[in-house]
Amino acid sequence: MSYPYQIKSFHEYKTEYEKSIEDPAGFWGSIAEHFTWRRKWDEVVNWNFKEPKVEWFKGAKLNITENCLDRYLESRGNQPAIIWEPNDPEEHHRTLTYRKLHEKVCQFAHVLKNNGVKKGDRVCIYMGMIPELAIAVLATARIGAIHSVIFGGFSAQSIADRLEDAQAEYIVTCDGAYRGAKDIPLKSVIDDALIGNKTVKKVIVCTRTRTPVSMLKGRDLWWEEEMKQVEEKGLNYIEAEEMDAEDPLFILYTSGSTGKPKGVVHSCAGYMLFTNYTFVNVFQYQTGQIHFCTADIGWITGHSYIVYGPLSAGATSLMFEGVPTWPDAGRFWDIVDKYKVNILYTAPTAIRSLMGFGLGPLQNKDLSSLKVLGTVGEPINEEAWHWYDEHVGKKKCPIVDTWWQTETGGILISNLAGITPAKPSWATLPLPGVQPILVDEKGNEITEAVDGITSGNLCIKAPWPSIIRTTYGDHERCRVNYFATYENLYFTGDGALKDTEGFYRITGRVDDVLNVSGHRIGTAEVENAINMHAGVVESAVVGYPHDIKGQGIYAYVIYNGTHMDDQSLTRKDILQTVTRVIGPIAKPDKIQFVGGLPKTRSGKIMRRILRKIAEGEVQSLGDTSTLLDPGVVDEIRDGRL
Ligand code: 6R9
């Protein structure tokens, strides 16, 4: 199998890029010809960033699962679609061929239908990284329902908020999940999330850990039992629901700088096209290769580069249940060796954490199958980049530094492996169809360079096929968050540099969003959680540089409650509250108790100062004259952790 739209040289990249800008409709229209449609489009693209309204392939009809499964049955039916490596290396791995995956997806689609799920209904999926998670995702899409996958590290409260926001009626979960040495009791978290919930009708529970679970009659059903009924009836096929190009495919919640997480909505056709196109081009995927993306399907990276991108390209996607450091820090290398992985796509935080174990875990591991390495989720520092290049890629594998976001659906800025140049810690050039622009605070394009480098807020001028369509149930929120900061531009929330060759380097968020181990967390969200703790008067949360996580969470807390004589215990109490409200991923690394917070006369917390103190840059706190009480700064600085 070949991909006619796979770019093969730097020269071709340049001509394709130009074509994509001059004639987006012609460019994407001709790529779309290589997919399976029930009906073709009337118009390739129609958009304005004012409302915003973006429509790709209007009038077209399709089902993404026909593009991921059915169209490969004949040519690749016996080839592996998903190879699954369990948490415990002693447990047997599983391989699902395209034929098997198609069958399982159809069967589970019947299960969903039998339980009342209809087109447009929201199905919340809260599972560990087992093949049934991919099956549940695809089965939901098969019948035109909307999946909302929630990462296993979120608390009951977070799930409850998401269920409420999405008005979800169905949940697919597991009894528990294995992650390294831990068992996570997923069903019990769901039970807590459902206290007081009024919308959920059915919960389907897949057996994994066989940890004891409560099963409510009439609401909770076992996956295996439901599947058995369908299998016994021989229901191995289900007609895919015919979807409009712009019908929603999924909701994925992500953190912003204000309020609760928002439900980013992606639609069927544009998302399919762009994840496929970027998968094939960025990683230069060749038929038969094994692609190993280490993300969890609970994040956008897993949606786009474990499930939809690879499967829509007929690729073999390796899915791993566990963590990089269990049973030891050689686990990734064992997996690469065992399955002869060709493409490894992971996060800088994982690389930095493995670097800390030295070269021992890499010894006697055959990594010669590797052809392409990738990183995603946060800026990669040069040290980690070189370690990855030398010790994993043995200096013969191009590294793609892929910049993108939940809202962008797929990779927007990245080198193409071995085709366009790489530059350590630079994401480099935009993909065809992507028009970045750096602007100042007022939205004016920055043209002035210092030593050949321009620096500004990263925006995108025109839509690519998988741009966010709306935030679920609240279109205004989508407009305000992404399209209102600068007129007629999509604002990414990131800052970036641009060099004379037009390469981009992403420097990090310029809003109040933290990036902790590649996970997005809003400072406001963490503050709200801390403030719910009894005795907390007020809090302010900032990020600080962390060797492994990229950013750590630093919280300044005014507390006048009980047990203040034991600060360390009170800190732990607060961490418990954060874990309950959001989940363990949002726990602050440091909590400093303070008497007051630096505020302006208008009552705004001056985060700039708090950030500097957390970063240890106490010499250069800048102008503090506008503060209501400059004295608090000295106190905070002296008590720094
Ligand atoms: C795919 C994903 C998005 C934020 C984004 C940026 C950061 C992602 C990056 C990167 C520098 C890269 N980010 N990739 N920063 N270089 N290659 O991570 O989505 O979870 O929504 O996070 O992550 O700050 O704005 P998401």
Side-chain angles (χ1 to χ4, degrees):
M1 212 174 70
S2 68
Y3 308 100
Y5 44 89
Q6 191 172 54
I7 294 169
K8 284 294 162 207
S9 68
F10 193 18
H11 174 75
E12 196 187 334
Y13 161 77
K14 288 183 204 157
T15 53
E16 289 299 291
Y17 186 81
E18 266 162 40
K19 245 196 266 171
S20 76
I21 305 306
E22 275 161 25
D23 178 17
F27 180 83
W28 291 111
S30 79
I31 291 166
E33 295 292 343
H34 301 283
F35 291 77
T36 299
W37 304 92
R38 295 276 184 91
R39 178 186 190 275
K40 289 207 180 153
W41 48 96
D42 300 318
E43 190 183 17
V44 173
V45 59
N46 171 28
W47 65 284
N48 73 71
F49 276 176
K50 211 167 173 55
E51 296 175 56
K53 178 168 123 183
V54 179
E55 292 170 335
W56 283 90
F57 305 103
K58 188 81 180 150
K61 306 268 187 203
L62 76 159
N63 186 291
I64 195 168
T65 69
E66 288 189 334
N67 283 274
C68 290
L69 302 170
D70 303 60
R71 70 162 162 161
Y72 293 117
L73 285 182
E74 206 164 300
S75 59
R76 304 190 52 73
N78 295 325
Q79 299 300 316
I82 292 177
I83 298 176
W84 175 74
E85 166 73 4
N87 182 58
D88 181 349
E90 303 293 314
E91 190 183 335
H92 211 279
H93 72 275
R94 284 165 64 187
T95 300
L96 285 101
T97 61
Y98 272 89
R99 183 158 298 120
K100 196 72 193 167
L101 182 60
H102 177 264
E103 182 187 290
K104 289 285 154 206
V105 167
C106 285
Q107 288 169 343
F108 194 64
H110 275 292
V111 169
L112 292 173
K113 271 216 151 156
N114 290 346
N115 282 291
V117 184
K118 299 178 305 297
K119 180 175 183 173
D121 288 349
R122 277 79 53 219
V123 177
C124 165
I125 301 176
Y126 185 67
M127 301 172 86
M129 281 285 285
I130 55 175
E132 284 71 16
L133 165 52
I135 292 166
V137 162
L138 291 164
T140 304
R142 183 90 179 165
I143 61 170
I146 302 170
H147 55 78
S148 169
V149 183
I150 301 179
F151 175 63
F154 282 111
S155 68
Q157 181 64 55
S158 293
I159 297 168
D161 292 345
R162 286 158 170 77
L163 291 172
E164 164 77 25
D165 188 82
Q167 293 287 299
E169 291 177 317
Y170 304 91
I171 296 178
V172 186
T173 188
C174 296
D175 47 1
Y178 294 123
R179 270 179 75 78
K182 286 189 222 147
D183 288 4
I184 301 155
L186 298 180
K187 173 61 164 62
S188 137
V189 177
I190 289 290
D191 290 337
D192 288 345
L194 287 178
I195 295 170
N197 174 288
K198 295 200 171 54
T199 55
V200 172
K201 296 178 187 155
K202 292 277 167 69
V203 181
I204 300 175
V205 185
C206 182
T207 306
R208 175 61 183 135
T209 56
R210 201 50 194 103
T211 186
V213 290
S214 137
M215 294 291 283
L216 275 197
K217 197 178 286 168
R219 186 193 74 182
D220 299 350
L221 307 156
W222 288 107
W223 170 295
E224 298 75 16
E225 179 65 30
E226 295 296 299
M227 283 292 262
K228 204 171 101 203
Q229 288 177 21
V230 165
E231 279 163 24
E232 280 172 0
K233 289 189 194 136
L235 299 172
N236 300 332
Y237 178 78
I238 195 166
E239 182 80 13
E241 186 77 32
E242 190 170 283
M243 305 296 284
D244 282 336
E246 282 298 331
D247 276 339
L249 173 64
F250 66 84
I251 307 171
L252 187 57
Y253 284 86
T254 191
S255 293
S257 49
T258 54
K260 294 208 163 165
K262 38 190 184 272
V264 172
V265 176
H266 283 289
S267 58
C268 296
Y271 177 82
M272 169 181 81
L273 217 76
F274 199 71
T275 52
N276 177 290
Y277 180 81
T278 50
F279 172 72
V280 162
N281 278 294
V282 171
F283 302 103
Q284 288 290 307
Y285 184 81
Q286 307 299 317
T287 306
Q289 286 188 332
I290 314 273
H291 173 78
F292 177 21
C293 167
T294 71
D296 191 289
I297 294 177
W299 307 110
I300 190 69
T301 305
H303 281 62
S304 301
Y305 300 107
I306 295 178
V307 182
Y308 289 114
L311 297 181
S312 69
T316 299
S317 185
L318 197 150
M319 188 174 168
F320 173 42
E321 184 181 32
V323 297
T325 49
W326 194 85
D328 60 53
R331 191 66 195 278
F332 277 1
W333 323 130
D334 287 331
I335 295 174
V336 170
D337 192 343
K338 178 170 173 189
Y339 300 100
K340 305 297 167 218
V341 168
N342 304 109
I343 304 168
L344 175 66
Y345 189 32
T346 193
T349 186
I351 300 168
R352 287 191 301 263
S353 127
L354 295 175
M355 268 168 79
F357 291 90
L359 297 178
L362 281 149
Q363 259 157 26
N364 306 320
K365 307 287 160 75
D366 179 9
L367 305 185
S368 62
S369 56
L370 287 173
K371 292 268 183 290
V372 172
L373 304 177
T375 82
V376 59
E378 52 178 317
I380 181 163
N381 49 310
E382 290 199 27
E383 195 192 354
W385 194 99
H386 286 294
W387 189 88
Y388 201 27
D389 182 38
E390 272 166 45
H391 302 295
V392 182
K394 318 286 183 199
K395 294 205 146 191
K396 63 168 186 58
C397 301
I399 298 178
V400 288
D401 180 351
T402 64
W403 173 82
W404 58 296
Q405 311 178 296
T406 305
E407 295 85 346
T408 72
I411 299 166
L412 293 198
I413 304 183
S414 172
N415 49 319
L416 311 183
I419 302 292
T420 66
K423 182 171 172 179
S425 85
W426 288 67
T428 74
L429 295 167
L431 270 284
V434 177
Q435 301 185 57
I437 174 173
L438 298 181
V439 300
D440 64 17
E441 295 301 314
K442 294 201 179 73
N444 299 315
E445 179 160 14
I446 293 179
T447 43
E448 219 167 285
V450 179
D451 294 333
I453 306 275
T454 48
S455 160
N457 293 338
L458 179 62
C459 294
I460 316 284
K461 281 194 260 188
W464 58 98
S466 63
I467 187 174
I468 178 176
R469 295 305 197 269
T470 189
T471 45
Y472 193 79
D474 191 350
H475 194 61
E476 177 61 6
R477 198 166 171 205
C478 173
R479 189 187 70 79
V480 169
N481 263 293
Y482 306 105
F483 300 93
T485 316
Y486 307 114
E487 211 177 317
N488 287 325
L489 295 175
Y490 165 80
F491 178 42
T492 65
D494 281 317
L497 308 177
K498 186 181 177 183
D499 72 7
T500 46
E501 288 173 282
F503 287 12
Y504 289 88
R505 175 185 194 151
I506 314 306
T507 48
R509 303 288 304 196
V510 293
D511 53 8
D512 289 320
V513 172
L514 305 180
N515 192 327
V516 181
S517 301
H519 301 157
R520 270 167 69 168
I521 298 169
T523 52
E525 255 178 279
V526 183
E527 285 165 7
N528 290 342
I530 295 174
N531 295 349
M532 285 173 77
H533 190 79
V536 170
V537 179
E538 202 180 359
S539 65
V541 166
V542 297
Y544 71 97
H546 187 289
D547 283 350
I548 290 172
K549 298 178 175 182
Q551 267 188 313
I553 304 180
Y554 197 119
Y556 300 91
V557 176
I558 305 175
Y559 178 85
N560 70 3
T562 314
H563 294 312
M564 203 43 199
D565 49 322
D566 191 340
Q567 286 204 358
S568 101
L569 196 55
T570 300
R571 276 196 190 95
K572 287 183 191 150
D573 291 342
I574 293 174
L575 293 182
Q576 288 283 333
T577 299
V578 174
T579 303
R580 284 223 169 270
V581 177
I582 308 177
I585 55 171
K587 281 196 295 192
D589 299 273
K590 294 183 181 181
I591 296 177
Q592 179 182 347
F593 293 107
V594 296
L597 292 166
K599 287 192 180 169
T600 61
R601 288 193 182 87
S602 59
K604 268 202 181 138
I605 297 175
M606 279 187 88
R607 287 164 190 284
R608 173 176 60 81
I609 292 175
L610 294 175
R611 233 176 265 135
K612 288 235 157 148
I613 295 175
E615 285 165 5
E617 285 185 35
V618 290
Q619 312 308 335
S620 56
L621 293 181
D623 183 15
T624 56
S625 62
T626 57
L627 289 179
L628 198 57
D629 174 11
V632 297
V633 175
D634 298 336
E635 181 222 303
I636 294 174
R637 187 190 52 210
D638 296 343
R640 187 179 160 258
L641 298 171

